[in-house]
Amino acid sequence: MNLTAALLLGSGFVHAQAPQPLTGKGKVTGSVLDEKSQPFPFVNILLLQAKDSVLVKGLAADEQGKFAFDQVAEGKYLTLISMVGYQKAYSEPFNVKDTPVNLPVFTLKSDIKSLSEVTVVAKKPFIEQEIDRTVVNVENSIVSAGATALEVLERAPGVTVDQQNEQLKLRGKEGVIVQIDGKQTFLSQQELITLLRNTPSDNIEKIELITNPSAKYDAAGNSGIINIKMKRNKNYGTNGNINLGGAWAKYGRANATGTLNHRAGKISTFISGGAFYNKGFNNNDIYRTIPFEDKVTIFDQKTERINRSEYYNVRAGLDYFATDKTTVGVLVSGFYNDWSNPFGQTNTRILNEDLSLQRTFRTNVFNGGKMNNISSNVNLKHQFNDKGKELTFDLDYVHYGGKKKSELDTRYFNANGTPDEAATEIVRNDMPSDINIAMAKLDYTQTIGKGKFETGLKSSYVTSDNDMVFETFADDWQLDPKRSNRFKYTENVNAAYANYAGAISKKIKYQLGVRAEHTHSIGNSVTLNQKRDRNYINFFPSVFLSNQLDTNNVINVSYSRRIDRPNYQSLNPFEFYLDPYTFQRGNPNLKPQYTHSFQLVHVYKNALNTTLAYSRIKDMIADELPQQIASENKTFVTSDNLDNQDNISLTVSFPIPVTKWWQVQTNFTGVYNHYKSYYLEQQLEIKQVSWNMYASNQFTIGKGWSAELSGWYNSRQFYGLYAARPMGMINAGLQKNILNKKGTIRFNVNDIFWTNRFNGTAVYKDIDFRVRSEWPSRQFRLTFTYNFGNQNVKGARQRNTGSDDLQKRAGGN
């Protein structure tokens, strides 16, 4: 079936009607009071066209109940003020020109009786394009219900999820920084994928894709930042919600989450928690050819694994509003993850060049591990009496404790099928690990002239201790000192930044920034008595320009320099075995990679967004590179630095409002990658054009019913040395609101035709490696959500903590 054609059946040959742009010179301001004439914060404000009540823009009032719409095109408008439990309020129609419009003060009254009202449909699309980021509104997607964070990321524009090698890419580039509520996860790629695979999407409000961050952000992450914002109730008082879900894909999985918010007086608190259970499978077929001394050996492997995981998490926070200007907050979070492969078996045929059988072997594999995390944050926010002057301070401590273990029992058989008892090999390894992170961060903002000045300091200190104990069995367990290794790593990063944002004219705005980071790291392989001490200073400038060409067109240009330091465990020279002939090895010689990133963005009528980007990566860190020890018929994967990578990408995003009941969102990303390096004593050069498309059709059926049909497609592309075949999927879902709209039931089918499978080939020098992998991508899911309590209460603040740039790199591969 042609996947692309299927996606466009519902979205092609339609007439696109763009919303009224918010790109003029006008400005509309106002304020809202409650029945006691007190400022009413966080009220919903909608700006509507007067002639037909079509939504132009929506926002929430600030903490003082004030609001402002900037850059409003000339025309006639009205505003709608709303809050659950209160009567809606409308302004009189008014005209907008160049002179600012200051609306009369609004006063909201309790909803005692129904008023005749204007009907406004203002549901956010699944994917929203903003000037500096792409926003994926997860809570608005039917087919995302009951899914995981990883499955939602597969549908995000420009994001590629490599299930086989457990990697994330953004616009065709690795080095993605993943944050949760602005707080980085500090995990290695493999452990990050495990965390996202076990995080229910029902806990997620939205995902932000920031492809070219400013100097205010940490310099790590060559392809940008993915920020996952968890759900928080935005109302006042005491309320909460519960989510229950189940899914089936050969095996079952289930999740349950809950949130409780309370705000009274000067204190606001929240607590949320969840549990997730999953049972699944992963099947791999590996075919590799190994030449050595005029002889060719072929390995034909088939691996079947059943995996199981349990994940529990809790988050709690408290904000104390000491004064109108000062807020003190505490945030504590943690998770516990227990996973294992209770059944895993690899059956391998070793063949001669003429495909005649040499012998076979069977490896029974058990892999498992546990990880626990506790993260704590104390923060202070103070707004000075001078307008625009603000000070924030964060103090963080993060701890990760974990243990991985595996056991391999390999039995060999001769070509005639008789056992070769003498060749039996039984091994096991344990790797406990501890990671501790301490961090302090200070940020200051002040208005200078007609612009905003930002500056800040940050210091972090990380320690990591991993002890790989490898044992072989011969009558009893004996330590193998050649394959055991203890690795300690410490890293101290001190940073300072300065940003200034201003305007050259009414149409041209700019932002200039620079960040300086001093890094001192020590990697110590205790067993091998090898120590690597690195001490260096880097500067990371950033430049942003925005030009409002006319009422319909905006152009943004930006540049930034960034760094990616190796994952803590990628530097560890340990070996982790899949079978006696296949393993993974760390590389203590890895260097940081540096990226120059340029981006050009064009926004048309706040609807059509086109981004053209170019980046140049020096000393690119490539993961999962296959290498061979031909004399021993062994193949392993490792990380290494390639010389350079050039990346050019084009992303186009546009909504299509077909009718009032049918909305289409389409996103397209095209990527050109050029690798050039001298690798394994031979010139390596790869040129690849690839593309990705996402399309979503959302239908409002009526009487509480709605539906969604969506899908994505990735063309052929490279992952390091692997050339991967095209992948994609189609999803469908149905939703019904119940219990006076406090409850929601969703049913969906993910990957209807089970097309999301990995097929890759690596052919380079003496490497001829082919792999095929499948997992339970096709799933049938049913979820139930219920909101309870006073829906007029606001939850705790969403805030970034100071440990934003470290957690991704914690843990091991």
Side-chain angles (χ1 to χ4, degrees), residues 3 160-165 285 287 688-692 712-719 721-729 755-763 768-773 775:
L3 181 61
T160 303
V161 178
D162 178 5
Q163 295 271 8
Q164 169 65 24
N165 298 307
D285 295 340
Y287 190 92
Q688 173 69 35
V689 176
S690 59
W691 59 277
N692 165 276
W712 59 265
Y713 178 86
N714 291 334
S715 72
R716 180 181 184 272
Q717 54 189 291
F718 270 88
Y719 300 88
L721 294 182
Y722 290 98
R725 293 181 184 177
M727 301 169 60
M729 66 165 66
T755 51
N756 187 22
R757 306 184 188 191
F758 181 87
N759 286 274
T761 303
V763 179
D768 189 339
F769 192 90
R770 304 173 189 180
V771 61
R772 179 181 181 275
S773 182
W775 54 91

Side-chain angles (χ1 to χ4, degrees), residues 83 119 158 174 306 432 453 496-497 559 562 644 740:
M83 174 61 75
T119 300
E174 300 175 7
I306 295 175
F453 174 72
Y497 77 91
Y559 161 78
R562 307 190 64 76
N644 295 304
N740 294 323

Side-chain angles (χ1 to χ4, degrees), residues 130-203:
E130 298 183 0
I131 296 296
D132 63 340
R133 66 195 62 194
T134 301
V135 180
V136 182
N137 293 302
V138 179
E139 62 182 347
N140 288 345
S141 173
I142 300 171
V143 298
S144 294
T148 67
L150 190 66
E151 290 164 345
V152 174
L153 281 174
E154 286 183 317
R155 306 185 185 111
V159 176
T160 303
V161 178
D162 178 5
Q163 295 271 8
Q164 169 65 24
N165 298 307
E166 299 190 316
Q167 292 181 354
L168 285 176
K169 284 186 177 183
L170 185 57
R171 295 188 315 187
K173 297 189 296 181
E174 300 175 7
V176 184
I177 295 295
V178 177
Q179 300 177 355
I180 297 179
D181 283 341
K183 183 181 181 65
Q184 196 168 315
T185 53
F186 288 78
L187 297 174
S188 69
Q189 280 286 306
Q190 186 182 41
E191 290 179 333
L192 173 63
I193 294 293
T194 300
L195 175 63
L196 296 175
R197 189 178 282 137
N198 291 303
T199 300
S201 65
D202 296 320
N203 283 0

